[in-house]
Amino acid sequence: MTLAAAPHVNTGDTAWLLAATALVLLMTPGLALFYGGMVRTKSVLNMLMMSFVSIALVTVVWLAAGYSLAFGDDIGGGLIGGLDHAGMRGLGPASVHGTVPTLLFATFQLTFAIITAALVSGAVADRTKFSAWLVFVPLWTLVVYVPVAHWVWGPGGWIAAELGALDFAGGLPVEITSGASGLALCLVLGPRLGFKKDAMRPHNLPMVILGAGLLWFGWFGFNAGSALGANGLAAAAFLNTLAAGCTGLLGWLFVEQKRDGHATTLGAASGAVAGLVAITPSCGTVSLLGALVVGLAAGVVCSYAVSWKFKLNYDDSLDVVGVHLVGGIIGTLLIGLFAEKAMTGGTEGLFYGGGLAPPAKQLLAVVVVASYTFAVTYGLGKLLDTAMGLRASEEQEHTGLDLTVHAETAYDHGVLGHGAPVSASVVHSVQKAEHQA
């Protein structure tokens, strides 16, 4: 049977999901730029590589077993799927998931798994062995992301089927999972050299803004695509995503202006991302008013949360914990307050007459997912650290991972002007300045 003859395929839904899948995949290069601009000059390429290589690593694992374990028929009491579709066995052009081809649905879900793994890298930037990252990503995808995805979205997954907690586009499997994993790895690795002593400012804020813009663009596919159809729910999720990103940005800038006396470019980018993180689980469950509140709450709270690392002494390099874990928790919990029947088709939040049950379910889901993710990631990190070492050497970290690991530099300071060679003293001065930065 050809695709055109498949009885349940809707061409409009399929066209939209094809576009949404491409948008979500673009988010990982966008994240690479966002993270790359936030690190110091000496490790920007390493940061880009950690995101880009995640695309390849997660894709191989997902096609081999990840999709089947996450979205195959449940075999473990709501905990995990089977291996009936390992290697994408039994899935062809005629296979249908809802109104779209199953292969397209699997690819769409793959892009979620990719960016979730890449998000974790921001917490351990500047000090992680690249070889260890190549091993960590596939293992983490299988033992952390895949089970949580099954709990939330898989057939018979316990969070959706038994608990009844809501998560439209990934607050639990993506945001809370990446943030809790980032925290666990921070503790395994320890802080960067010079943490709380040396200035570690972003080296390229235009790159940060460009990355944030690409993330925002891709997020429309992430959230509206999760409707799995070209319909009114997708349109509502699309608008909620835009609205929450805006109020997140404004909320963060308000805090900066009030607290520090100036609104920053980095704050604008971070605030928009915080709002987008928080609306991810709730974009298909709350009204526009709820979306505005969710984004604003995330922008305000996350702007304070990113400073917790200095008080609690965990070195979350690029604020994955402060933005993704905290923002994901905010967005997931606020579903219990702001969910509306017109969006969910049934469940209503506390503020709309749903009582205390919805907030309680959302809270339980957050606690279980965060706890499981943290514990398993911490154990995996310790195992890899013992087996092969997770942290780059002090010399590599001091010099920079770009040169010592990849034998490259992001910016060539060897020539000046129209090809004129630079003196050794100038090169030394530039290298010294880069190190101090």
Side-chain angles (χ1 to χ4, degrees), residues 40 191-201 310 313 315 436-437:
R40 291 168 289 178
R192 288 167 291 179
L193 298 177
F195 177 61
K196 297 201 292 188
K197 296 178 182 178
D198 299 341
M200 298 182 180
R201 294 182 294 271
F310 299 110
N313 202 39
D315 186 8
Q436 292 173 344

Side-chain angles (χ1 to χ4, degrees), residues 24 27-28 31 110-120 174 215 222:
V24 181
M27 291 177 72
T28 299
L31 180 71
L110 163 61
T111 60
F112 280 58
I114 289 169
I115 194 167
T116 307
L119 282 169
V120 179
V174 177
L215 283 170
F222 200 93

Side-chain angles (χ1 to χ4, degrees), residues 376-396:
V376 176
T377 304
Y378 188 87
L380 178 60
K382 281 291 189 181
L383 177 64
L384 292 178
D385 194 36
T386 301
M388 61 186 301
L390 270 181
R391 184 159 184 160
S393 69
E394 185 172 330
E395 180 182 356
Q396 289 176 323

Side-chain angles (χ1 to χ4, degrees), residues 180-361:
S181 294
L183 178 59
L185 284 189
C186 285
L187 298 180
V188 173
L189 283 170
R192 288 167 291 179
L193 298 177
F195 177 61
K196 297 201 292 188
K197 296 178 182 178
D198 299 341
M200 298 182 180
R201 294 182 294 271
H203 88 283
N204 192 326
L205 286 171
M207 184 185 293
V208 173
I209 287 290
L210 174 60
L214 289 172
L215 283 170
W216 200 337
F217 179 62
W219 229 299
F220 291 118
F222 200 93
N223 287 354
S226 293
L228 302 181
N231 51 40
L233 184 57
F238 195 106
L239 179 58
N240 284 347
T241 300
L242 176 60
C246 291
T247 53
L249 186 157
L250 294 174
W252 194 298
L253 292 186
F254 173 80
V255 171
E256 280 193 333
Q257 186 66 45
K258 188 175 185 298
R259 181 186 59 198
D260 308 323
H262 47 261
T264 68
T265 305
L266 180 61
S270 300
V273 171
L276 294 166
V277 166
I279 199 61
T280 293
S282 53
C283 61
T285 60
V286 303
S287 67
L288 179 59
L289 174 62
L292 293 169
V293 174
V294 167
L296 182 63
V300 171
V301 175
C302 291
S303 65
Y304 289 105
V306 295
S307 65
W308 295 348
K309 61 186 178 183
F310 299 110
K311 299 176 183 178
L312 300 177
N313 202 39
Y314 63 89
D315 186 8
D316 173 20
S317 305
L318 306 183
D319 301 321
V320 178
V321 178
V323 173
H324 292 274
L325 178 58
V326 174
I329 290 173
I330 290 171
T332 304
L333 293 181
L334 288 183
I335 293 173
L337 304 181
F338 290 98
E340 292 194 36
K341 185 175 182 179
M343 295 290 291
T344 65
T347 301
E348 293 183 309
L350 176 64
F351 293 163
Y352 293 88
L356 293 175
K361 292 176 181 180

